[in-house]
Amino acid sequence: MKNPYLPLPMKLVKNFTETEDKLIHTFTLQYLSEEDEKSFPYMPGQFAELCVFGKGEAPFGIASSPSEPGFLKFSVAKVGVVSTALHLMEEGTMIGVRGPLGNYYPVEEFKGKNVVIIGGGFAFTTLRSLATYMLEPERRGDYGNITVIYGARNPGLLLYKEELAAWEQNPNINLITTIDSAVDGWNGRVGFIPAVTEEVAPSSENTYAIVCGPPVMIKFTMPVLEKLGFPAERIIMSLENRMKCGIGMCGRCNVGGKYVCKDGPVFTRAQLNELPAEY
Amino acid sequence: MIISKKDIPGFLDKLISEYQVFAPVQEGSYTLFKSITSGTDAVLTADNTKLPAKEIFFPQSEKLFNYNVTETGAKLETDIDDRKKVIFGVRPCDARSLVLLDNVFNNDKFQDPYYLTRRANTIMVGIGCNTPASTCFCTSVKGGPFDTTGLDLLLIDTGDAFVVEVVSDKGKALAKQAGFAAASDNDKSAAAKAKEAAKVTCQVNIDGLKDKLDINFYAPIWDKIHEKCLGCGACTYLCPTCHCFDIVDDAVDCNGCRVRNWDSCAFPIFTLHGSGHNPRTSNKERYRNRIMHKFKYFVDNFGEIACVGCGRCIKNCPVNMDIRVVLDDVRGSEARLDS
Ligand SMILES: Cc1cc2nc3c(=O)[nH]c(=O)nc-3n(C[C@H](O)[C@H](O)[C@H](O)COP(=O)(O)OP(=O)(O)OC[C@H]3O[C@@H](n4cnc5c(N)ncnc54)[C@H](O)[C@@H]3O)c2cc1C
Ligand code: SF4
Ligand code: SF4
Ligand code: FES
């Protein structure tokens, strides 16, 4: 019987300050052996419990893609005990990783379809994983157009700036970035994500929309997607209920009878419509 | 088969030499399951134990593993309890609760080795309830005072002796090993009479309850029903089917252990997000979750109600919330589908 509570020790090789406000750090973790890497087969959309030994564990979406071997990446906002301890960690220290946990974005269903990825703020982590995965040269042909709409309050709060710059130049992906209000030197759009989505989103025909972001962004983006004709079955979301065990036992992450950790975190809008709005 | 009451301590002593034996023992004004070292410690005359037998398999606080972290790796040490155990004197409702919990700790994706190893290595010897308490409503939720679900042996009190009913192969082997005497026809009819005479007086009508819960999440009834509840969580800590827990570290400078502790859906921080947002903001949402979990979600997921009618939550609530009344009110409530 595999013990689902035991973390895999990994080495923190990079603790990178991702945003200008310094509240988000991106952590690169390296496997200690090839065997360890084999024991962690994951897909975009899955998450893991990161553990700072001596402080505890907390769940974070996996920001790296399975197409990037050798390491795992997480981007973590500083909000409490574990996340603060992570931010303070020195490169070279051991971190525990328990996972991969949860389900993943339905990449099989996306085949032959267009995909529009809509992300707000720092909830761009698993979306980055997804985009990177689909952009893999041997996989890119499986999908139609890939559009990414990504917004933050200001340019300094966007994650993965170097990568965004590369996507700007990449003909295989259509990237639209937006910020809330204009600043000097900004070449992207200005405006809230729902409005920008309404303007630039591709036709809903044969297209999946994947949406992650703060509750208020989700709230105002949903009606826009509906207006654009996206059926609830083709709107994909990822929930972030508070979690502990990650394996459907500790009882805290439920939305109705579904455990977000085990049955999610990825749900279609149609599935969520069947559940009480406890998220 | 039959065992005379005066032979029980000797029987238990024999078991103790081979198994870790748990039985109800007196603790002040109530009884609790404890690991016993002498057969005479077992108290089999009292009402059901204050706390259910659940904690033998899923302790209130339990170490998951020790760790020792260095610059090159981390050494993790688990100590999974695989000692052979006998639980002696468990009541049918509590035995049934473990069968329900098995669904949780052995779900469609993950297995909990701590709980499951203990379950696999344990023999459950139950005692039927000749005199159910006024708060018992097991018969309303698929149980009964002599129900054998989750048991290996069932003992039926016939006055000076217990008639032994074999339920499972494990029970059969234990009975054989113990060398119980054969029960006479008289003994058998005494046992049948005891069963007949035991009356669970309280019935809760759950007809249509699930159908109602399927549609009444947003009904006004939930605004009222929780009002008395203090959110103390006592009911959840005493309930044999509640399984919520938290996981914390107990460590100084990276050499320590990870521990899991019982937690409760009655507490506000249980679901508080890192962002400060809380999906179950008030007592209303939390109390509703307790009822929904036991009488709808668990049924949706595992086909069973997650309440065995033991009555502990009724007996121990500081403000006398009575789940039987709550269920009646909910069942009678007007459904409203919209939010
Ligand atoms: C599937 C999933 C994926 C996620 N992915 C990501 C991700 O990619 N990146 C990311 O940053 N987050 C992510 N999260 C959120 C992340 O899990 C939480 O931010 C994290 O659990 C916080 O843990 P913590 O120990 O730092 O906070 P805790 O210490 O547990 O704090 C939790 C709550 O307590 C409050 N709190 C903490 N300290 C105090 C105090 N002293 N007084 C009062 N209140 C306090 C906090 O405000 C917060 O509301 C994800 C969550 C889920 C479920
Ligand atoms: S014991 Fe009573 S007051 Fe306490 S949480 Fe349960 S119902 Fe509420
Ligand atoms: S809800 Fe109350 S009556 Fe039902 S099993 Fe739990 S403690 Fe017993
Ligand atoms: S995190 Fe424990 S049940 Fe989902």
Side-chain angles (χ1 to χ4, degrees), chain B residues 222-238:
Chain B
W222 302 109
D223 294 325
K224 285 207 305 263
I225 229 156
H226 72 94
E227 274 175 342
K228 217 160 59 162
C229 171
L230 307 169
C232 70
C235 52
T236 62
Y237 277 77
L238 294 167

Side-chain angles (χ1 to χ4, degrees), chain B residues 137 235 238-241 290 294 307-313 323:
Chain B
F137 60 100
C235 52
L238 294 167
C239 177
T241 66
R290 177 166 161 81
K294 291 192 177 306
C307 166
V308 294
C310 73
R312 285 187 180 87
C313 59
I323 195 163

Side-chain angles (χ1 to χ4, degrees), chain A residues 8-12 29-30 32 51-53 86 89-97, chain B residues 68-74 254:
Chain A
L8 189 69
M10 288 184 77
K11 189 175 182 167
L12 174 65
L29 311 180
Q30 212 170 52
L32 299 185
C51 91
V52 179
F53 291 103
L86 276 169
M89 281 196 112
E90 283 178 28
E91 291 172 359
T93 6
M94 288 296 151
I95 287 185
V97 182
Chain B
N68 189 333
V69 183
T70 62
E71 277 177 12
T72 51
C254 285

Side-chain angles (χ1 to χ4, degrees), chain A residues 25-29 48 50 60-63 72-76 97:
Chain A
H25 284 200
T26 293
F27 301 91
T28 310
L29 311 180
L50 287 190
F60 299 98
I62 305 175
L72 291 176
K73 231 182 197 182
F74 297 88
S75 296
V76 173
V97 182

Side-chain angles (χ1 to χ4, degrees), chain A residues 58-61 75-77 79-83 122 125 240-242, chain B residues 273-274:
Chain A
F60 299 98
S75 296
V76 173
V79 299
V81 178
V82 175
S83 51
F122 69 88
T125 57
E240 280 201 2
N241 277 27
R242 180 157 188 156
Chain B
H273 287 199

